Amino acid sequence: MKKSILEFWVGLFVLLGLGALGVLAFQVAGGKDFSGSTPSYTVYADFSDIGGLKPNAPVRVSGVLVGRVASIELDPKTYQARVALNINQQYTFSNDVSASILTSGLLGEQYIGLQQGGDPDDLAAGGTITITSSAMVLENLIGKFMTNFTGSKDNKTATEEKTE
Amino acid sequence: MNFIQNIGAKTLAFIQTLGANVLFLIKICCLLPQTLLRPRLTLRQMYFSGVLSVLIIAVSGLFVGMVLGLQGYTQLAKFKSADVLGFMVAASLLRELGPVLAAILFASSAGGAMTSEIGLMKTTEQLEAMNVMAVNPVARVVAPRFWAGVLSMPLLANIFNVAGIYGGYLVGVEWLGLDAGVYWSHMQNNMTWSYDVANGLIKSLCFGMAVALIAVYQGFHCVPTAEGILRASTRTVVSSALTVLALDFILTAFMFVN
């Protein structure tokens, strides 16, 4: 085989393979989480129940992705779930920002929604979000609904159930 | 009694082959400087194992993606969640099917050819002749083929993945009428470079090493007869497929289980 033709085809093959990698990185993964991704800082939030929240779950403000859940641990003193959030450097929030665990859609993934507060001081890196609301657990919800339902119908049975 | 003896003998033979393969790998790696001195040998083998496999890899990828799109759409539509089709196609291709199927196709097309080529060289005593001329046959014949396989495999897996994702797009969006924006956005929201793309690349690199090593080992150690070559190339395809599947399980357990 002629020398230059061999090199041409192998070069084309390598280009094709690397081009495919480029498509995978940018078109399929959306260029996300690329090495040298946007710098971020970590803040913490304590929840009494995280439901089905997982590490790497999105953190959103007004529906916009601003960071991801870095890790989830159980605080051995308070027995609350301590969630570490990696927030993109370009966003800062006030000291009284509130965090709640929400679900996207009926069967969607769980994520953390932040709501900006009014405090003029910014939440520093390593700080803790104090105002949190936990995940909605379906069993608790149904339990509440059941007690309310029976309560409105017959107050006596409801109080009996509660005392049990 | 004979049966139990057989099991023992097979186990011993398996461990022996594994050890011999690893030693052969070390021998190839030790000859890396010599391989780098003559890059054209590797380039030539990349043409035969890589470039000539592109078409079969791309076409199979396209069809696998189309089947995923068709099955995925019809099943997901039952649960009113056809939106996640793009993510499902991309995740199954990038994480599992892409690297594994590309490696198995590579083993059956290029791996078998490698084995029979080296086996034929052995049968016609070309390897012996090289030895006589003080040319190391491992450096001259085996190492370039091995490295060509290792380099080609991730590139082929990428091509397979991209063809598959566009195959899924073709069926899901163009044929069954899913919205194109939904197809891509769900995929882009849930796939990440470091987790999915990079792990898939690492997988295909490992598979490339395994398949190329098995192919050159079987060729170099085959019985130098026509039947020996036949058996060796069959063994290459069979043990490559089994090794790739087993290795895939181990790598998945490491990479994708939190």
Side-chain angles (χ1 to χ4, degrees), chain A residues 21-51:
Chain A
L21 182 63
V23 171
L24 290 181
F26 292 105
Q27 174 80 339
V28 173
K32 249 186 315 147
D33 208 346
F34 220 79
S35 51
S37 58
T38 50
S40 62
Y41 63 97
T42 309
V43 296
Y44 298 92
D46 295 329
F47 293 95
S48 57
D49 196 332
I50 56 161

Side-chain angles (χ1 to χ4, degrees), chain B residues 116-144:
Chain B
S116 33
E117 198 187 0
I118 300 175
L120 192 65
M121 281 181 170
K122 191 178 181 184
T123 312
T124 51
E125 292 177 347
Q126 292 179 43
L127 300 181
E128 282 298 308
M130 279 180 198
N131 257 335
V132 170
M133 291 187 289
V135 173
N136 186 348
V138 177
R140 181 72 171 72
V141 174
V142 171

Side-chain angles (χ1 to χ4, degrees), chain B residues 99-119:
Chain B
V100 170
L101 287 183
I104 290 175
L105 285 170
F106 181 75
S108 42
S109 68
M114 258 187 230
T115 304
S116 33
E117 198 187 0
I118 300 175

Side-chain angles (χ1 to χ4, degrees), chain A residues 1 3 6-7 9-10 13-14 16-18 20-21 23-25 27-30 32-35 68 109, chain B residues 40 43-44 47 50-51 54 94 152 155-156 158-159 161-162 165 184 187-194 201:
Chain A
M1 189 176 299
K3 206 172 176 175
L6 179 80
E7 266 140 31
W9 280 111
V10 175
F13 167 58
V14 172
L16 200 67
L18 292 181
L21 182 63
V23 171
L24 290 181
Q27 174 80 339
V28 173
K32 249 186 315 147
D33 208 346
F34 220 79
S35 51
R68 281 186 185 278
E109 43 163 16
Chain B
R40 269 196 63 79
L43 201 73
R44 198 178 157 73
Y47 176 82
V51 177
V54 167
L94 259 67
S152 303
L155 300 173
L156 290 172
N158 287 338
I159 294 170
N161 285 336
V162 170
I165 284 163
W184 291 116
M187 192 188 293
Q188 289 165 354
N189 272 331
N190 291 294
M191 306 299 288
T192 52
W193 158 260
S194 60
L201 266 185

Side-chain angles (χ1 to χ4, degrees), chain B residues 100 203 205-211 240-254:
Chain B
V100 170
K203 263 189 182 178
L205 202 65
C206 293
F207 295 165
M209 286 183 100
V211 171
S240 296
L242 289 178
T243 310
V244 163
L245 290 172
L247 210 58
D248 180 54
F249 174 73
I250 296 168
L251 289 174
T252 303
F254 272 117

